Amino acid sequence: MRAVILVEGVSDQLALAALAARRGRDLDAEGVVVRPIGGAHAAAAVVERLRLERPGVTLAGLCDAREEEVFARALERAGMGADLTRADLESLGFFVCVSDLEDELVRALGAPGVQGIIEAQGELAAFRTFQ
């Protein structure tokens, strides 16, 4: 693992994985893990733990606009800066989705594109269940 992308929840993880696949990216082969953290308020603990356990791994993340301040405080607490602005977050690899990642996905792909991703993810999950 060379990079971890932190996202708030499983729906964000699935959306990002599906988008990567649509763009021809193989995150596993690239050593990139998309990790749901169980909500923005878990960010500080997750960032601190990852920095201790895997000091060489690149950390990045996506958060919803309403959680921007929570993520900024988490990164500040982990020693990654002080009084972080959105531009500072972006320079650290953490990006804010307006209004949330799912909305960004709909805006980028349109409703039919998102429906196709959801259906494909459901088929993939069903396939994994039977393996």
Side-chain angles (χ1 to χ4, degrees), residues 1 14 20 33 37 39-40 44 61-62 64 97 103 114 123:
M1 169 178 25
L14 292 173
V33 173
I37 62 173
L62 296 169
D64 298 341
C97 299
D103 283 346
V114 173
E123 291 168 12

Side-chain angles (χ1 to χ4, degrees), residues 76-125:
E76 290 169 5
R77 181 175 153 189
M80 298 175 70
D83 298 319
L84 297 173
T85 64
R86 185 174 291 185
D88 295 329
L89 291 173
E90 290 177 2
S91 72
L92 293 170
F94 288 80
F95 296 87
V96 177
C97 299
V98 179
S99 68
D100 61 28
L101 181 57
E102 294 85 359
D103 283 346
E104 294 287 344
L105 194 61
V106 171
R107 187 172 59 82
L109 301 177
V114 173
Q115 178 140 359
I117 289 172
I118 292 168
E119 289 168 358
Q121 289 299 318
E123 291 168 12
L124 180 60

Side-chain angles (χ1 to χ4, degrees), residues 48-92:
E48 289 175 9
R49 188 170 59 249
L50 282 171
R51 288 185 52 148
L52 285 173
E53 294 174 0
R54 299 197 179 260
V57 74
T58 299
L59 290 179
L62 296 169
C63 70
D64 298 341
R66 68 183 174 276
E67 305 298 349
E68 179 177 359
E69 187 176 313
V70 174
F71 262 72
R73 283 194 317 265
L75 298 178
E76 290 169 5
R77 181 175 153 189
M80 298 175 70
D83 298 319
L84 297 173
T85 64
R86 185 174 291 185
D88 295 329
L89 291 173
E90 290 177 2
S91 72
L92 293 170

